[in-house]
Amino acid sequence: MATAAIVVIGREILTGKFADENGPYLTQRLRALGIDLRRLAIIDDDVDAIAEEVARSAQHDHVFTTGGVGPTHDDVTFEGVAQAFGMSLRLDPDLRALLAKHGLVDEANLRMATVPDGAELVRAGGASYPTIRVRNVYVLPGIPALVQQKFEALAPSLPGKTLHAARVYARDRESDVAGALAALDAAHPAVDIGSYPRWGEAEHRLIVTLESGDRAALEAAVAGVSGLVDVVRVDAG
Amino acid sequence: MATAAIVVIGREILTGKFADENGPYLTQRLRALGIDLRRLAIIDDDVDAIAEEVARSAQHDHVFTTGGVGPTHDDVTFEGVAQAFGMSLRLDPDLRALLAKHGLVDEANLRMATVPDGAELVRAGGASYPTIRVRNVYVLPGIPALVQQKFEALAPSLPGKTLHAARVYARDRESDVAGALAALDAAHPAVDIGSYPRWGEAEHRLIVTLESGDRAALEAAVAGVSGLVDVVRVDAG
């Protein structure tokens, strides 16, 4: 299964000025595409912090950064990505020409065209402005509407895998069945089994989630869980 | 200003099964307390991933982990914290006695009492079950209602600083004022100035946020921004 990491860059999120909309959006979309998200970091607009996080990109198939690519003094994502890979920055003539079409030609705006040496411009889905990719790192903007537009243009090119999932809602206290669930998890290595206690729900006190690329393996594990707990209901997904 | 990091531990968040409620809650509360959140990482229930993230704790005054402290096979936060600090695990007699009161005595449940050697039990705000602290790392549960209860009990003991804040809503395009804002930011070192373009809002296309521990410095910077942009309105906070 392909893996991914998300790096949300923005002091405005850490200070609670704006809620992060990009992380939850990309999380859901990656799951739907069958890509395993392994890590989501929200970090400051700081070159060293960005470089450190992006330098981990070799651990994943795809990395998506959001934010920090505008014209202002705190937009330092390209610097951070360049530092992560030991690249220098270069003024890209194609990006400069695109910005100039919109009248964006002063020094601050040229920051948006100053990208790591080694950046590729990905023109997917007929977008008028390309997405910048450096190795396996897609550098997305911060504005949620633009992130969504750009990600959807890229999505068809991202390899995924269909996952089958189920949820068992149960009346049991997690602590009463934890040992038995651990044994069941060990007995079903092809199925990812999670157990989540709930508080204050009407009927169930526990949700057991199951996921697998193999439908038969999933069904066998669901049968195993259902024999173990006091089932309220079983849902797909 | 005291700094903090949040480590949200939970595969269920990365797979999009549950939305993260703890990160946004703690983000807002830390801000209100005047503590500077520098990093929020959402990671897998994986001992190495937890250890790596927690090992960064010396960079911050306070670290809060959430999740991974229940009785099931994927609850490995205590192992991860112990590994981060090169500590071994020990069965804590006080925690064991507390769990036994609730009838939680089997092997799976004893995981909840098996904490890093060096853990302190923090009994704040009259909570019936203590919060586990290891050095500057508070190990919180994953269930949002419990996280909030425990954090609020701890909050009075966390040192903070009052921040003054303002927002200037402007009609300008960010790209038209970015250069001038950068100069203004440099001229007001005691004020943290951020600039956020908005799309699709009725009147404003830009929000300039300002924050400072010094009210007079803040007011001077707000006056500077107001002289620079086409102001729709100025808000406190």
Side-chain angles (χ1 to χ4, degrees):
Chain A
M1 193 167 180
T3 66
I6 298 170
V7 186
V8 173
I9 297 158
R11 185 161 175 74
E12 72 276 20
I13 310 291
L14 292 173
T15 55
K17 284 177 201 159
F18 297 98
D20 175 33
E21 296 175 46
N22 295 324
Y25 180 82
L26 294 173
T27 297
Q28 291 294 342
R29 291 294 291 123
L30 289 170
R31 198 63 186 171
L33 292 169
I35 296 170
D36 194 22
L37 176 63
R38 303 293 271 275
R39 179 180 178 83
L40 189 162
I42 305 179
I43 58 174
D44 208 346
D45 305 275
D46 175 86
V47 175
D48 291 338
I50 296 166
E52 189 192 331
E53 203 59 41
V54 169
R56 312 168 57 103
S57 58
Q59 298 172 26
H60 307 287
D61 292 303
H62 310 294
V63 174
F64 302 89
T65 73
T66 68
V69 296
T72 67
H73 56 280
D74 57 356
D75 289 309
V76 296
T77 297
F78 289 136
E79 284 91 325
V81 174
Q83 182 174 309
F85 296 131
M87 295 173 177
S88 54
L89 291 165
R90 65 175 165 79
L91 183 60
D92 184 275
D94 289 357
L95 291 175
R96 180 166 55 174
L98 275 167
L99 292 169
K101 272 196 205 171
H102 296 274
L104 305 175
V105 294
D106 70 9
E107 196 187 332
N109 286 299
L110 286 182
R111 292 177 66 79
M112 295 192 277
T114 305
V115 298
D117 197 11
E120 291 170 78
L121 309 189
V122 181
R123 289 186 177 79
S128 61
Y129 198 84
T131 293
I132 282 85
R133 181 173 63 197
V134 188
R135 296 190 186 168
N136 63 337
V137 180
Y138 292 93
V139 181
L140 299 173
I143 298 173
L146 288 182
V147 169
Q148 295 174 21
Q149 198 182 89
K150 284 183 173 287
F151 183 83
E152 295 311 327
L154 295 169
S157 68
L158 300 172
K161 180 179 155 187
T162 305
L163 271 187
H164 306 286
R167 287 181 179 218
V168 180
Y169 294 78
R171 290 184 186 84
D172 310 75
R173 237 176 14 166
E174 186 185 52
S175 47
D176 294 334
V177 295
L181 280 174
L184 197 81
D185 183 63
H188 291 84
V191 183
D192 185 12
I193 301 180
S195 151
Y196 305 100
R198 308 304 286 171
W199 276 39
E201 315 277 347
E203 279 194 279
H204 61 276
R205 287 195 290 182
L206 181 66
I207 302 175
V208 181
T209 62
L210 303 98
E211 275 188 341
S212 180
D214 176 342
R215 185 184 290 277
L218 180 81
E219 285 170 3
V222 169
V225 171
S226 301
L228 199 69
V229 299
D230 183 6
V231 177
V232 174
R233 69 174 194 278
V234 178
D235 283 1
Chain B
M1 192 169 180
T3 66
I6 298 170
V7 185
V8 173
I9 298 159
R11 186 162 175 73
E12 73 276 17
I13 309 291
L14 294 172
T15 55
K17 284 177 202 161
F18 296 97
D20 175 33
E21 295 175 47
N22 295 324
Y25 180 83
L26 294 173
T27 298
Q28 292 294 343
R29 291 295 291 124
L30 288 169
R31 200 61 186 172
L33 291 169
I35 295 171
D36 195 22
L37 177 63
R38 301 296 269 275
R39 177 180 181 83
L40 189 162
I42 305 179
I43 58 174
D44 209 345
D45 306 274
D46 175 87
V47 174
D48 292 339
I50 297 165
E52 189 191 330
E53 203 59 41
V54 170
R56 312 168 57 104
S57 58
Q59 298 173 25
H60 308 286
D61 292 302
H62 310 294
V63 174
F64 301 90
T65 73
T66 68
V69 295
T72 67
H73 55 281
D74 57 356
D75 289 308
V76 295
T77 297
F78 289 135
E79 284 93 323
V81 174
Q83 183 174 309
F85 296 132
M87 294 173 178
S88 54
L89 291 165
R90 66 173 165 80
L91 183 59
D92 185 275
D94 289 357
L95 291 175
R96 181 168 52 174
L98 275 167
L99 291 170
K101 271 197 208 170
H102 296 275
L104 305 174
V105 294
D106 70 10
E107 196 188 332
N109 286 300
L110 286 182
R111 292 177 66 78
M112 295 193 277
T114 305
V115 297
D117 197 10
E120 290 170 79
L121 309 189
V122 182
R123 288 185 177 79
S128 61
Y129 197 85
T131 292
I132 283 85
R133 180 174 64 197
V134 186
R135 297 191 185 169
N136 63 336
V137 180
Y138 293 93
V139 181
L140 299 173
I143 298 174
L146 288 183
V147 169
Q148 295 174 22
Q149 198 182 89
K150 283 183 173 288
F151 183 83
E152 295 311 328
L154 295 169
S157 68
L158 301 172
K161 181 179 155 186
T162 304
L163 272 186
H164 305 285
R167 287 180 179 220
V168 180
Y169 295 77
R171 290 185 186 84
D172 309 75
R173 240 181 5 170
E174 185 183 53
S175 47
D176 294 334
V177 295
L181 280 175
L184 198 80
D185 183 63
H188 294 270
V191 184
D192 185 13
I193 302 180
S195 151
Y196 305 98
R198 306 305 285 173
W199 275 41
E201 314 277 347
E203 278 194 279
H204 61 276
R205 287 196 289 182
L206 181 65
I207 301 175
V208 180
T209 62
L210 303 98
E211 275 187 341
S212 179
D214 176 342
R215 185 183 289 276
L218 180 81
E219 285 170 4
V222 169
V225 171
S226 301
L228 198 70
V229 300
D230 182 6
V231 176
V232 175
R233 69 175 194 277
V234 178
D235 283 1

